[in-house]
Amino acid sequence: MCDLKENLWLCLQCGNLGCGRAQFGGVGGNSHGLAHTESSHHSVAVKLGSLTPEGTADVYCYACNEERIDPDLNAHLKHWGISIADQEKTEKSLTELQIEQNLRWEFSMTTEDGKELKPLFGPGLTGLKNLGNSCYLSSILQCLFSLPVFSQRFYHPGAEPPSSSNPAEDLETQLRKMADGLLSGRYSLPDTDVIATEHSSEIPHQKGLAPAMLKHLIGRGHEEFSTMRQQDAFELLLHLFKLITRSQHNIHSSDPVAAFRFVLDQRLQCFNCKKVRYRSDVQDNISVPVPVRRVPQPATGEGRDEDGKDPKKDAFESVTLKECLDIFTGEERVELTCSGCGSNDGFSKRSMFRTFPDVLAVNARRFELVNWVPTKLDVPVVVGDEAFSLDAYKSFGLRDDEELLPDDGQESTGAKFVPDAAAVAQLEGMGFPRIRCEKALHATGNSDAEAAMNWLFGHMEDPDIDTPVDLGGSKAAAPGADEADPEKIETLGAMGFSPPQSRKALKETGGNVERAVEWLFSHPDDQGEFESETTAPTAPEADQELPGSEALPTQFQLHSIVCHKGGSIHAGHYVAFVRKHIDEGKEDTWVLFNDEKVVQAAEVDEMKKFAYVYFFRRL
């Protein structure tokens, strides 16, 4: 028998009472409610201690492992003799527990001498209330609406709201509402429930606006953003860009995401014949690699944790933003067969800016695979407040002394894939059917029987595991057969993979995103299927306007950053630091937006080193 008196969950299907799982903050649990679900397949339960007279409560579905809302909760409880009007909340809800957990990753709200940071109030200084793991959304919104391109687009004081039959489901209406709330200053007022006295050290901050309607609208239909779980702020930014671009705009209300767009040129050159190929991609962000150089630390005698990381021992050398950009735009070798000369010597590949955006969004990739799990690393990236130039990273397209590779877009799909005979024999000797052996070798590079075996063990339950793999060599392919879904490419791009890598991974795995991620992790040096891509023109048509600007010189300056604390981007806490002009005649001030708290920031240089997303404005 279980003697727990709290964290008790009532099965709404049979009335069984069982304790929940152990929770943050010392709340005990033996998972008897979960055991009941596994034995009875009754999946929906309500936490009794969270019941309120207003009819709210924690309702959890064990089958989908997610919180749910029960619109008929009152009737369901009455069936078991419980009157919800007579209930009193005695325990913290799951949302409250999650917020409490995230607040462990507290950003400093005091100066070096221990004084509270100065709260700020006024237009453009309004905080956003944490709805429970919504800090990833709040931090992105604060950065975006502090940019002129967003404030001018959505903030129209005194104007009539957009005409909509359903304002709650209209993105234009909700973004204008958010702009008015953040920028007008009407809600940027001290919390009247907090009274500062000489005997109290508590400083009144704001109550903050609750971005509930916008969060619901942005997350509607999305597998992750529709939940109450912590999310990746950078992925949210890309998702929001997509929603805004797809929404309706007119000549008087253009797409603000256009200010982020630019053209990135990819240049391939054969090492043997020296011929080149150019490809142009329109992007609205870049994800730069951060080099990892560990600083040797004296041994402490303590073991590493289950993630293979020892926070006390892992220290890293600082790197500069320029070094990250140098790596992003630097030349690298790719193993491809030249369609011009047939050489297998390979190609050099380099990505450069054809045009530059008005606002450059940069994601710093500070991750390392530990036991196949992306683990965040605290590598300092030094970024100054002063303006800097990107002229050195400009692409000027095809030069007069360069010769283009022949266009092979109309040729056959290429040589047939031939599985390694020795590896096939080894795998067949282990009892695997030949179709599965060929598929595994095709997915793992056709060289290592052990890698293919591991792939097979991980894909035994795939519904298409016994479907013959397309080994290529067909004389004709259906139009668009090799084209990957742009949304899937965008999903992989949010994880830091380039479009060519994403296209090849999706092609190799039949368009399955999860398998594509596995393929990319098992082929970290593969730069993508450039030879099979349709060659983009080296120069656009005369009447085609490129996003961004080709004008030089370029000067960019840091405008805002999104910072994260925690071991994973899907946990921990996000805040925003924004450069603002607060006092006339004085220099810009860095402002910290920590949910509803808005203060004059301290230690900004330290925070900039560990930012997750940077926004740079072109001067």
Side-chain angles (χ1 to χ4, degrees), residues 474-490:
S474 58
K475 295 182 180 180
D482 290 338
E483 294 179 8
D485 186 338
E487 290 197 6
K488 293 179 180 178
I489 292 177
E490 183 177 340

Side-chain angles (χ1 to χ4, degrees), residues 209-223:
L209 293 175
M213 296 183 74
L214 181 59
K215 182 179 185 299
H216 167 75
L217 185 57
I218 292 173
R220 185 180 58 183
H222 192 281
E223 184 178 358

